[in-house]
């Protein structure tokens, strides 16, 4: 009996569970190759606004650091703050100046505030300059008349260098 | 004397295999993947730079300084999807080239051919004035600008000679600089 027990114990040696890492390494390799292709070293990253359809373009211009202006089908946003309302693809009448139908007063006031802030910083910090740049994300289905009013108002506020954000068509 | 069974020593076949230690490689990948995920850009955003029309005095100064007096080219985009290309050569007569719509869409192929021809005639000209109608969609404007910006892959590139260094370079750029001229009209 004892011999049989000893034999049983000797045959059933302790085994360790060896983790198979090959499949996991394969998966990681594929992930890394994919992420390498999407890797971006640009210091400026523009995040498209949710619900906004940007137009596609063959343009290759790099994004610049500038005031963020979004013109969507719902309204006009400056640095994520809603300043004007768009209804049925047009700016509402109450946001337009009665003497100048192309002038969007709330947008002008907000941009003017940004410009003043920038100029104040420029007066203290010699490395910073007010360059009047804006990066505009606009919905592709909007008519030019809305953009024309926004651009006109921007130029009145001192922002004459407009950059239209588009999705790169590759 | 009994025969002693000799034990033939066979080499242990298990010891001949080489087991690759994947732990360092896995550590590297576990470090790399979060870094790359944070820096990944799944939709590439590019920008089209446009300049708004300058005030009158600045425009005059720019025109005076402007050494390229080849021509002034402007595009008028209509609500009915037709395009009018206006060419005013410096010291020459103005001419209009109308590109009618192709069905209910823009005839971008014909438009591109026209811009390519104009670029061949005025190789030093890189700027355009664009005057879209009020109801023209933003997406359509971008498509038209794309057709005017660069040559297509199958087309020849343009030779540019630097007047100071006399170096010649090739470029596929046609009219990358765009100005929306009717902004200040209101």
């Amino acid at each position: 009996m004892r011999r049989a027990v000893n034999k049983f114990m000797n045959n059933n040696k302790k085994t360790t569970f060896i983790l198979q890492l090959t499949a996991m390494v394969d998966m990681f390799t594929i992930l890394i190759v994919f992420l390498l292709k999407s890797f971006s070293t640009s210091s400026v990253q523009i995040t498209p606004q949710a619900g906004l359809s940007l137009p596609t373009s063959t343009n290759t211009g790099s994004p610049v650091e500038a005031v963020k202006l979004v013109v969507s089908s719902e309204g006009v946003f400056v640095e994520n703050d809603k300043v004007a309302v768009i209804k049925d693809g047009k700016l509402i009448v109450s946001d337009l100046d009665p003497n100048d139908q192309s002038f969007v007063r709330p947008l002008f006031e907000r941009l003017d505030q940004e410009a003043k802030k920038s100029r104040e910083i420029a007066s203290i910090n010699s490395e910073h300059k007010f360059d009047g740049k804006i990066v505009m994300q606009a919905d592709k289905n909007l008519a030019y008349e809305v953009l024309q009013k926004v651009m006109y108002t921007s130029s009145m506020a001192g922002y004459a260098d407009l950059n239209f954000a588009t999705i790169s068509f590759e | 004397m009994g025969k002693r069974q000799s034990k033939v020593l066979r080499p242990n076949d298990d010891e001949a295999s080489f087991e690759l230690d994947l732990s360092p490689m896995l550590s590297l990948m576990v470090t790399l993947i979060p870094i790359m995920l944070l820096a990944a850009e799944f939709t590439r955003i590019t920008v089209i730079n446009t300049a708004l029309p300058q005030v009158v005095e600045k425009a005059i100064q720019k025109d005076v300084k402007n050494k390229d007096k080849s021509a002034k080219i402007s595009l008028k985009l209509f609500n009915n999807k037709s395009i009018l290309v206006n060419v005013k050569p410096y010291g020459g007569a103005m001419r209009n080239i109308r590109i009618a719509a192709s069905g209910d869409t823009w005839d971008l192929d014909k438009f591109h051919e026209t811009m390519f021809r104009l670029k061949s005639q005025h190789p030093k000209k890189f700027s355009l004035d664009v005057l879209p109608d009020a109801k023209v969609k933003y997406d359509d404007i971008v498509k038209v600008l794309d057709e005017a910006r660069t040559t297509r892959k199958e087309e020849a590139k343009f030779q540019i000679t630097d007047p100071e260094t006399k170096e010649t370079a090739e470029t596929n750029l046609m009219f990358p600089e765009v100005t929306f001229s009717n902004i200040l009209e209101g």
Side-chain angles (χ1 to χ4, degrees), chain A residues 126-146:
Chain A
S126 57
E127 286 178 18
H128 176 83
K129 283 179 189 171
F130 173 68
D131 48 17
K133 277 189 182 160
I134 269 189
V135 170
M136 188 163 88
Q137 293 180 42
D139 192 282
K140 65 180 181 182
N141 295 313
L142 284 173
Y144 176 71
E145 60 183 340
V146 175

Side-chain angles (χ1 to χ4, degrees), chain B residues 78-83 99-108 135-137 139-140 143-144:
Chain B
F78 295 97
N79 294 332
N80 61 2
K81 300 191 194 288
S82 64
I83 305 170
I99 298 150
S102 168
D104 60 349
T105 57
W106 304 86
D107 193 348
L108 294 176
K135 300 295 178 197
V136 176
K137 269 192 199 173
D139 193 34
D140 291 343
K143 284 188 170 63
V144 169

Side-chain angles (χ1 to χ4, degrees), chain A residues 74-78 81-86 91-92 95 104 106-107:
Chain A
E74 292 172 5
V76 181
F77 301 79
V78 177
D81 296 329
K82 192 170 187 178
V83 297
V85 178
I86 290 176
L91 285 155
I92 58 172
D95 284 337
V104 186
L107 173 62

Side-chain angles (χ1 to χ4, degrees), chain B residues 12-39:
Chain B
N12 190 347
D13 291 328
D14 293 337
E15 287 173 1
S17 65
F18 171 65
E19 283 185 17
L20 189 65
D21 186 11
L22 295 173
S23 316
M25 191 188 271
L26 205 59
S27 306
L28 174 72
M29 289 183 177
V30 163
T31 310
L32 268 180
I33 282 179
I35 291 170
M36 289 182 139
L37 265 172
L38 287 169

Side-chain angles (χ1 to χ4, degrees), chain A residues 28 36 38-40 55 57-59 61-62 102 138 140 142 144-145 148 151 155 160-164 166 168, chain B residues 25-26 29 33 36 39-41 44-50 52 132 134-136 138-139 141 146 182-183 186:
Chain A
F28 276 152
L36 261 171
S38 317
F39 190 65
S40 163
S57 172
T58 54
N59 181 50
S62 301
S102 290
K140 65 180 181 182
L142 284 173
Y144 176 71
E145 60 183 340
Q148 185 257 330
M151 289 195 279
S155 70
D161 191 352
L162 255 80
N163 296 278
F164 291 101
T166 57
S168 177
Chain B
M25 191 188 271
L26 205 59
M29 289 183 177
I33 282 179
M36 289 182 139
E41 194 182 47
R44 192 164 160 249
I45 304 287
T46 52
V47 293
I48 300 174
N49 182 256
T50 64
L52 291 172
K135 300 295 178 197
V136 176
Y138 174 46
D139 193 34
I141 297 171
D146 277 352
N182 58 355
I183 297 293

Side-chain angles (χ1 to χ4, degrees), chain A residues 35-71:
Chain A
L35 288 173
L36 261 171
K37 198 185 165 300
S38 317
F39 190 65
S40 163
T41 52
S42 171
S43 58
V44 179
Q45 286 201 339
I46 296 175
T47 310
Q49 187 94 342
L52 192 70
S53 301
L54 289 174
T56 50
S57 172
T58 54
N59 181 50
T60 55
S62 301
V64 293
E65 190 65 51
V67 173
K68 189 179 155 193
L69 175 66
V70 175
V71 186

Side-chain angles (χ1 to χ4, degrees), chain A:
Chain A
M1 180 70 177
R2 192 171 181 83
R3 208 187 288 174
V5 169
N6 286 343
K7 192 179 176 185
F8 177 77
M9 300 260 303
N10 285 337
N11 285 342
N12 289 289
K13 289 176 187 167
K14 283 180 187 173
T15 54
T16 55
F17 172 67
I18 300 168
L19 188 66
Q20 285 294 332
L21 295 175
T22 319
M24 191 188 272
V25 170
D26 278 344
M27 184 262 292
F28 276 152
T29 309
I30 291 168
L31 254 179
I32 279 184
V33 168
F34 171 74
L35 288 173
L36 261 171
K37 198 185 165 300
S38 317
F39 190 65
S40 163
T41 52
S42 171
S43 58
V44 179
Q45 286 201 339
I46 296 175
T47 310
Q49 187 94 342
L52 192 70
S53 301
L54 289 174
T56 50
S57 172
T58 54
N59 181 50
T60 55
S62 301
V64 293
E65 190 65 51
V67 173
K68 189 179 155 193
L69 175 66
V70 175
V71 186
S72 71
S73 52
E74 292 172 5
V76 181
F77 301 79
V78 177
E79 299 288 350
N80 300 321
D81 296 329
K82 192 170 187 178
V83 297
V85 178
I86 290 176
K87 205 174 174 186
D88 298 328
K90 288 182 184 177
L91 285 155
I92 58 172
V93 176
S94 56
D95 284 337
L96 301 175
D97 191 271
N99 299 320
D100 186 353
Q101 289 293 299
S102 290
F103 190 73
V104 186
R105 183 151 290 280
L107 173 62
F108 171 80
E109 282 166 5
R110 185 71 171 86
L111 286 176
D112 192 45
Q113 209 179 341
E114 290 288 327
K116 277 180 184 156
K117 208 192 312 179
S118 185
R119 287 190 180 109
E120 267 173 35
I121 295 169
S123 65
I124 300 164
N125 184 356
S126 57
E127 286 178 18
H128 176 83
K129 283 179 189 171
F130 173 68
D131 48 17
K133 277 189 182 160
I134 269 189
V135 170
M136 188 163 88
Q137 293 180 42
D139 192 282
K140 65 180 181 182
N141 295 313
L142 284 173
Y144 176 71
E145 60 183 340
V146 175
L147 301 180
Q148 185 257 330
K149 289 179 167 79
V150 170
M151 289 195 279
Y152 172 75
T153 309
S154 305
S155 70
M156 293 293 118
Y159 289 94
D161 191 352
L162 255 80
N163 296 278
F164 291 101
T166 57
I167 291 177
S168 177
F169 182 71
E170 289 178 292

Side-chain angles (χ1 to χ4, degrees), chain B residues 87-118:
Chain B
V87 185
K88 175 81 174 69
Y90 181 73
M94 188 170 70
R95 57 192 172 100
N96 291 325
I97 306 164
R98 186 170 279 275
I99 298 150
S102 168
D104 60 349
T105 57
W106 304 86
D107 193 348
L108 294 176
D109 289 334
K110 194 170 175 195
F111 170 70
H112 181 83
E113 276 172 32
T114 307
M115 299 314 290
F116 186 85
R117 206 170 53 243
L118 281 175

